[in-house]
Amino acid sequence: MKFLFTTILFLTVVLSFGQEEEIVVDFEPIGGKYDEPTMVTLSAGEGATIYYTLDGSRPSSGAMRYTKPIEVKTVNVIRAVAYKNGKRSETITQSYFCDREYTLPIVSIATNPENLWDYSTGIYVKGCCADTIEPYQGANFWRDWEKYANIEMYETDGELCFNQGVGINLFGGFSRMLPQKSLAIFAREKYGEKRIKYPIFPERDVKKYKSFIIRNSGGDFRRTHFRDAFMTQLAAPTGVAIQAYRPAIVFLNGEYWGIQNLREKISEHYLKSNFGVDKDNVDILRHNGVVRHGTSRNYKKLLQFLRSRDMSNDETVAELRTFMDVEDYLRYNIAETYSDNRDAGGNIRYWRERNDSAKWRWVLYDLDLGLGNNAYTGYKRNTVKKFTSANAEAWPDPSWSTFIIRKLLENEQLQYQYINTFADHLNTVYSSERALALIDEMHGNLATEMPYHVDKWKTSVENWNFHVDVVRDFVRERPAYLRKYIMQKFELKGMIDVNIKYPGDEVAKVEFNSLKIKEDFEGVYFQDVPVTITVEPKHDYNFVGWSGRDEKSLSITVRADSDLILEPLFEPKERSSFKDSVIINEISVYQVEGDSSNDWFELYNRSNQRIDLTHWTFTKSSYKKGFSFPKNSELDPGEYMIVSRNKDNYAAYYNVDTVAVIGSFEFGLSKKNESIKLYDIEGLIVDSLSYEFDEWDTAATFNLVHPDSASDVIANWNLEEPNPGDISKAYKAFLKHEADKKYWTKLYYIGGGSFFFILVVGLLLRRSSKKRKLKALSAKEEE
């Protein structure tokens, strides 16, 4: 018994050690934006001693001891640690911003000051061994030193995005010499978290990041501060890979460090997030085949293929396309050419996944030396010639950097593709109108913060606006010069206008050269350069031909020497023989809490015959992606049928004994706007409906008021309480009204109008009787 008691006591002591109270420093309030000076209270439980710092350094027992609330009047980074019974807590960091309004996200970095400024170990200084002339080779800021830091990010509304330990390392080339430097941020398990779990870039559908860049705008520092980001955002619609962009205000150890650009970091993680590739099975190269990840073996094979094969042969080009994305390379080269990137030959990034079907692709990277930077009339520069020629210089455009495009242009069909793709982009994404609108947007985003930024870095708002206007001049003038240089390069006769008449989204898809046409289109192209237009009729339409042309094929190639109008012609397919027999009668797309039925709609057979709906199709997008009705889906005259997104969920909420239910279809129905269609087994339209709401935020369903009305006319529909398997409440009210009307009409006109005669006579007799009663009453009063 004594042994048992001793054992229990021993286990109790052991377990009590295992459950020792965790020491955590609590901040009240937590970091963030505040409208006025704030008192910050620290606590860590009874018996704990708290120490803190305000200079970014990690606190220890040698730091300031916390004894009373800390007053924050402007900007402060508070880092605190607690000790209790010889145990040390984790360091907690909170940043406070109480000095003014901020119109951009805030990034606050806290690290031991010696990590930044120490003569021997600081990454921001030259240190002991720097060369005496630029770029100061051997300086600390050229070393590959990763330092531990804490990073916080706050949205413009003050919401905390993340607060965690990370590694920081200087990033970039010659821009390391600048006083505002670029930083690469790395999440690593040794710093606490393996990922930064926040969608830093709203333009991306990425929820977590291994790393990202805080960039100083490179050679555009103290100028527009957004040249590189502007060009990548401008080029994004072409499909070329870019780094996402977001401007932010940066603080280093509580010191205002100005506006910097948050950018994605090109790495295997970037490729996984944006292209879904296996991050451990990719090759990433830069410059002239320098390996950043993986190997360069396959790229060397690509170069050898180009050197050794006759590229004028179309079969050779077809083989090349199996391991190089030719279209992607053309988009990339055109973007570099348009922007007049003075460092195009040095900042090249390209990649492929390591498998048999993978192709080499390119990433648009580091364009801060373009768009008129260092040459205010850079829009005049003939980069069409420069970037497609074998140049003698070592930099910035060595011969190896133009080798691929020179080989591609040995092929006549690729020449035409290059010319037309360039023209496509000048008419759309690089048009002066679109470029100017994007400049205005990016300029406006920075305008409120820029006075603080230029004050920090000893320049002026006037200087900033001047350089922004240089970019404006560039995008206004650039398209005309490039068209002239294209004509010179390929010895073209002149330019023509091409007009395309768009048939409408519901009629057909239209592609013209590299463009997907979504509206009437007009653009500038070149004489005798064949252009190609292709149409794909939507399911409900048949292609007829081309207005004013003899061709009947869906795709035609036209070589024109004068202005050209292209108009595809279509006619609607015939409607189903079941049109007006089976109709969509009720739609449910919003379910209140507790209603688990999911989306559903109701069909009604208003014919006098049973109709077999087997293999009919319901869709909200393409016919091929619709829901196919199962076998034995039959609908009797006057009966209803529910088609549910989730048949089981519907059955759990509604009584299914009164109406047949089929399902389940995989897609949902929009609460705002939708266009839905019902097709018979032959693929012909039976019924359709398009609706549009600001937001469907009511438990009501959309009901066809009268089952005999046109169901594809929105005015014939009404919002009501759900009423599956029955006529609408509005129709019931209508029927009651009609019945009452019929009853009273019958009552008033019985006997061919005799009732009306009796009614009139009765009223006259009543009036006469009333007069007699009044007369008798008067006589009695006289007596």
Side-chain angles (χ1 to χ4, degrees), residues 3-16:
F3 173 76
L4 178 61
F5 175 79
T6 303
T7 303
I8 293 172
L9 179 62
F10 173 75
L11 290 174
T12 302
V13 172
V14 171
L15 290 173
S16 68

Side-chain angles (χ1 to χ4, degrees), residues 324-391:
M324 173 185 169
D325 190 331
V326 173
E327 284 68 33
D328 182 75
Y329 182 81
L330 293 180
R331 292 190 293 262
Y332 166 81
N333 180 272
I334 290 168
E336 295 278 6
T337 303
Y338 167 85
S339 67
D340 180 31
N341 183 7
R342 299 300 175 97
D343 200 11
N347 286 315
I348 306 175
R349 298 291 186 274
Y350 40 107
W351 66 278
R352 71 180 285 274
E353 191 172 14
R354 287 196 297 271
N355 61 55
D356 293 339
S357 61
K359 301 180 182 182
W360 282 100
R361 300 180 64 182
W362 279 256
V363 182
L364 200 56
Y365 175 76
D366 198 1
L367 297 104
D368 50 83
L369 292 184
L371 301 162
N373 199 356
N374 296 318
Y376 301 153
T377 58
Y379 53 80
K380 296 180 179 180
R381 191 167 181 247
N382 188 351
T383 46
V384 174
K385 178 181 179 181
K386 187 77 170 173
F387 290 0
T388 59
S389 302
N391 304 304

Side-chain angles (χ1 to χ4, degrees), residues 692-710:
E692 184 172 349
F693 292 91
D694 291 336
E695 182 71 42
W696 198 319
D697 58 358
T698 172
T701 56
F702 209 32
N703 283 257
L704 184 63
V705 174
H706 195 304
D708 292 332
S709 60

Side-chain angles (χ1 to χ4, degrees), residues 55 61 242 267 271 309 332 341 502 517 537 551 660 662 714:
D55 64 352
S61 59
I242 67 165
S267 67
L271 297 177
R309 303 292 289 273
Y332 166 81
N341 183 7
Y502 182 59
I517 303 299
E551 297 98 330
I662 63 171
I714 196 71

